[in-house]
Amino acid sequence: MQALAHPILRHLVTSGRLSVDTAVALERSAREENEPLVVLVVRRGGIEPESWAQAAAQLLGVPRLSAEDLPVAPVLTEKISARFLRRMRAAPIGFDDSRVQVAIADPADAATLKAIALATQREAVPVVVALDELEAALARWFAQGPDAIRHLVGDLDAHKGEERDELERLIDSAREAPVVRLVNQILSDALALGASDIHLEPFRDRLQVRFRVHGRLREIVSPPARYAAAIVSRIKILAKLDIAERRLPQDGRARLELNGRTVDLRVATAPSVHGETLVIRLLEADRQRVSLSEIGLAPPLVTRLERILSSPHGMVLVTGPTGSGKTTTLYAALQRLDRNALKVISVEDPVEYQIEGVTQIQVRPEIGLDFARVLRSVVRHDPDVIMVGETRDPETADISVHAALTGHLVLSTLHTNSAAGAIARLLDMGIEPYLLASVLRAVVGQRLVGLLCPHCREAYRPQEVEGALLARAKLALTEPQLFRARGCPRCSGLGIVGRIGIFELLEVDDRIRELIRARASTQEVHEAAIAAGMQTMFEDGIGKALSGLTSLSEVARVTEDW
């Protein structure tokens, strides 16, 4: 214990949350890598940010602030570089003539507090904020945004030369400092704004750059078309793609360190009339795990799903369109399993983040390692639970069904519009009705809706059209109240601060099994599930709209088929 210099680290060891060896290794890594200790303890030691913050507040007698307590913008930032504050997870949030209040993830970090005191010429008084909450605030405060990107686009003109059609010149231009800085800035700002995807779309006179933030596309900047090839080539180099091949689609991956965070990029290119169009999916390797309740499942649904997951065999499916959060739901479900007592294997494309106690296998279709081939091997490794990232072809569906039939619990995703639609989809893939009726335990249908900003959210009375939508939910409402958000600096003017799921859970009972054997229509299965007590996604969404979590327009947008 004497080897540990940090008081919070010592507390985590004495309370049994960290072993001595782990704590010593983390403290040594923090010194060698020049990284804040709190970052390593959370990301490598498995300590929750909230647990660290509570321990810091109690041990050091420092006030504890939450995300809601933080100001719209930090103060005195003209005296301290944003890069330093983001790296050290600290920011001044208030001051008077003699003191400056500093929000910091590790209030025992005397060096950072001293640096801020020297820069501001005031005594630095710390308040502790959980690491994840402070990182989100720092990203929002110091996202450099379109102005910085436009400035870098202007720098390209200073390096403009003759036309560069040859491969060698294209490679040279992709590696020029202005292009490298521009691409880095685009990636950095996308991460800071919480974007899930970056779209680069060439048109006749410009390269349109858009971020998908909370499910919505936002145009960020449009560099002139003459720079499109160099910018796209730079990203292709990062993803180890063939920059000479512009006629065929390509897929690649890269892992980068951006603003102290490890990010995996999935890059997809396709030829278009005006050049290559490109989409980058951002996957943060160190992102926090989420629970079933955090993604929006109501407590009764969590209880029912946990009961279903306790089954020793069978199949559980999560359905919805691309980008509806299906994989996140599967990850949250895996968190509920006793991974010490069960052998859990997942087959994924890609492995979005690692889960302790789960053997995760990345498929690689380019070498013939597809879902079906991996599954045939996996069932010989004596698993109790198999997670299949996506059931996308008849062979994968057939192997998954037979695995569920022979004593395994199989979790997978499927692209359908509703929970009931999963049955028809599997039958269309050639699964025999009697087999499907035997193995299918439940189907979760889901969509994602925007989470309203709590700082600019306001209540209002529904209008006529909205009243008609509410009436469809068949709720006994005397004076219903809905919510909308105007947009404010805290939510970057969007009115949305994230996304939350709306769900329906179809449990397969005897009546549903009869319908499966009879190859009944999706509508018949849907109606039978409702008769058995299933709450539809639309009804779940209405409940979240009435509680102020989302807006009615969001619910209508993603459930318009219903």
Side-chain angles (χ1 to χ4, degrees):
M1 188 70 62
Q2 305 240 339
L4 297 176
H6 199 287
I8 303 172
L9 205 57
R10 290 199 300 270
H11 169 76
L12 294 173
V13 170
T14 56
S15 62
R17 298 184 187 183
L18 280 178
S19 69
V20 175
D21 290 344
T22 299
V24 170
L26 289 172
E27 200 166 53
R28 182 174 60 250
S29 296
R31 289 193 301 269
E32 293 173 352
E33 300 173 24
N34 195 25
E35 184 81 6
L37 178 64
V38 58
V39 175
L40 300 186
V41 170
V42 168
R43 293 183 180 166
R44 299 180 191 174
I47 299 299
E48 290 295 321
E50 182 65 26
S51 298
W52 175 281
Q54 288 177 353
Q58 292 168 4
L59 287 173
L60 305 177
V62 175
R64 166 83 171 90
L65 296 188
S66 65
E68 290 72 25
D69 300 320
L70 296 175
V72 173
V75 298
L76 300 176
T77 51
E78 70 280 1
K79 299 180 179 293
I80 320 165
S81 78
R83 183 177 181 181
F84 171 81
L85 295 176
R86 292 181 70 162
R87 184 166 64 85
M88 305 314 297
R89 276 64 170 186
I93 58 172
F95 70 100
D96 57 26
D97 291 341
S98 60
R99 305 199 310 169
V100 57
Q101 189 180 49
V102 179
I104 189 168
D106 181 7
D109 183 356
T112 296
L113 292 171
K114 183 177 180 181
I116 293 174
L118 288 171
T120 60
Q121 294 296 299
R122 291 170 174 83
E123 177 190 358
V125 179
V127 295
V128 64
V129 180
L131 177 66
D132 54 346
E133 294 180 346
L134 185 55
E135 286 183 330
L138 288 164
R140 184 178 72 247
W141 289 334
F142 297 120
Q144 293 182 322
D147 288 342
I149 295 177
R150 291 190 188 101
H151 176 74
L152 290 172
V153 169
D155 286 349
L156 293 174
D157 282 318
H159 290 71
K160 181 174 63 177
E162 58 189 293
E163 290 298 320
R164 300 184 174 194
D165 293 327
E166 300 90 341
L167 177 60
E168 294 80 3
R169 295 186 178 232
L170 185 58
I171 293 173
D172 288 343
S173 64
R175 289 174 172 166
E176 284 180 355
V179 173
V180 172
R181 287 198 301 269
L182 174 60
V183 170
N184 289 347
Q185 189 68 58
I186 289 172
L187 294 172
S188 178
D189 279 6
L191 183 64
L193 292 171
S196 60
D197 302 89
I198 304 170
H199 293 248
L200 288 86
E201 302 152 313
F203 294 99
R204 185 179 60 185
D205 59 344
R206 71 190 194 282
L207 176 68
Q208 180 174 259
V209 180
R210 296 192 290 174
F211 295 169
R212 188 176 293 281
V213 182
H214 307 319
R216 292 168 170 78
L217 281 171
R218 300 175 58 188
E219 182 171 350
I220 301 301
V221 71
S222 293
R226 61 182 176 271
Y227 304 122
I231 294 169
V232 169
S233 295
R234 173 60 188 168
I235 297 170
K236 290 173 72 174
I237 288 171
L238 291 175
K240 298 179 175 59
L241 298 177
D242 182 359
I243 69 169
E245 179 55 76
R246 308 178 206 172
R247 302 165 301 168
L248 298 174
Q250 296 185 69
D251 293 289
R253 291 179 172 83
R255 171 165 285 200
L256 303 176
E257 290 285 337
L258 293 171
N259 303 329
R261 296 151 75 180
T262 302
V263 183
D264 289 321
L265 310 181
R266 289 170 55 191
V267 180
T269 73
S272 73
V273 173
H274 297 291
E276 285 183 286
T277 183
L278 188 147
V279 177
I280 306 169
R281 170 64 58 88
L282 300 171
L283 300 170
E284 193 169 355
D286 298 324
R287 68 178 178 177
Q288 295 298 312
R289 316 304 191 245
V290 294
S291 66
L292 290 171
S293 57
E294 286 174 330
I295 63 178
L297 274 167
L301 284 187
V302 172
T303 301
R304 289 168 58 193
L305 191 55
E306 287 180 334
R307 172 175 50 78
I308 293 164
L309 292 171
S310 67
S311 174
H313 55 80
M315 175 179 276
V316 179
L317 298 173
V318 181
T319 69
T322 300
S324 59
K326 301 185 295 297
T327 303
T328 300
T329 300
L330 283 185
Y331 279 138
L334 290 181
Q335 301 287 332
R336 294 282 181 162
L337 299 176
D338 184 356
R339 300 187 297 282
N340 291 322
L342 298 171
K343 169 82 170 186
V344 184
I345 301 179
S346 73
V347 187
E348 306 173 55
D349 183 23
V351 174
E352 295 195 13
Y353 60 77
Q354 297 179 12
I355 304 177
E356 187 71 26
V358 177
T359 301
Q360 296 175 270
I361 301 173
Q362 168 88 46
V363 304
R364 297 180 62 191
E366 69 274 11
I367 62 170
L369 191 66
D370 56 16
F371 278 104
R373 185 168 182 177
V374 175
L375 276 173
R376 282 194 294 269
S377 173
V378 158
V379 294
R380 295 193 289 270
H381 284 254
D382 189 31
D384 297 293
V385 181
I386 303 171
M387 181 188 119
V388 184
E390 183 182 344
T391 301
R392 59 176 65 162
D393 59 72
E395 189 177 8
T396 301
D398 183 67
I399 298 171
S400 298
V401 167
H402 280 87
L405 195 65
T406 54
H408 306 91
L409 179 64
V410 178
L411 313 179
S412 187
T413 70
L414 200 62
H415 285 87
T416 63
N417 287 330
S418 67
I423 293 169
R425 180 81 177 97
L426 289 173
L427 293 175
D428 288 343
M429 285 184 175
I431 303 301
E432 291 295 335
Y434 73 93
L435 288 177
L436 186 58
S438 298
V439 303
L440 190 60
R441 295 286 174 265
V443 185
V444 177
Q446 69 180 72
R447 296 289 191 278
L448 292 177
V449 294
L451 190 63
L452 294 181
C453 174
H455 302 287
C456 60
R457 182 183 62 192
E458 61 183 12
Y460 71 98
R461 296 294 178 191
Q463 304 300 310
E464 183 177 347
V465 174
E466 294 167 319
L469 279 174
L470 291 175
R472 285 174 52 193
K474 300 176 183 177
L475 299 172
L477 303 171
T478 53
E479 294 186 5
Q481 181 174 257
L482 295 173
F483 296 83
R484 59 194 169 204
R486 301 181 307 275
C488 67
R490 290 177 185 263
C491 61
S492 301
L494 293 176
I496 301 291
V497 294
R499 290 189 289 176
I500 193 169
I502 58 175
F503 301 89
E504 59 189 20
L505 175 59
L506 186 157
E507 289 193 67
V508 178
D509 57 15
D510 290 340
R511 175 59 181 154
I512 300 292
R513 291 189 186 94
E514 290 177 7
L515 292 173
I516 294 173
R517 294 188 189 99
R519 288 184 176 270
S521 69
T522 295
Q523 187 60 33
E524 289 177 284
V525 174
H526 186 67
E527 290 172 357
I530 291 175
M534 181 183 80
Q535 183 184 51
T536 67
M537 280 185 281
F538 177 73
E539 291 167 340
D540 186 35
I542 292 295
K544 288 181 169 70
L546 292 170
S547 66
L549 290 173
T550 190
S551 66
L552 186 59
S553 61
E554 277 287 290
V555 176
R557 178 179 65 83
V558 301
T559 60
E560 58 184 2
D561 291 339
W562 302 104

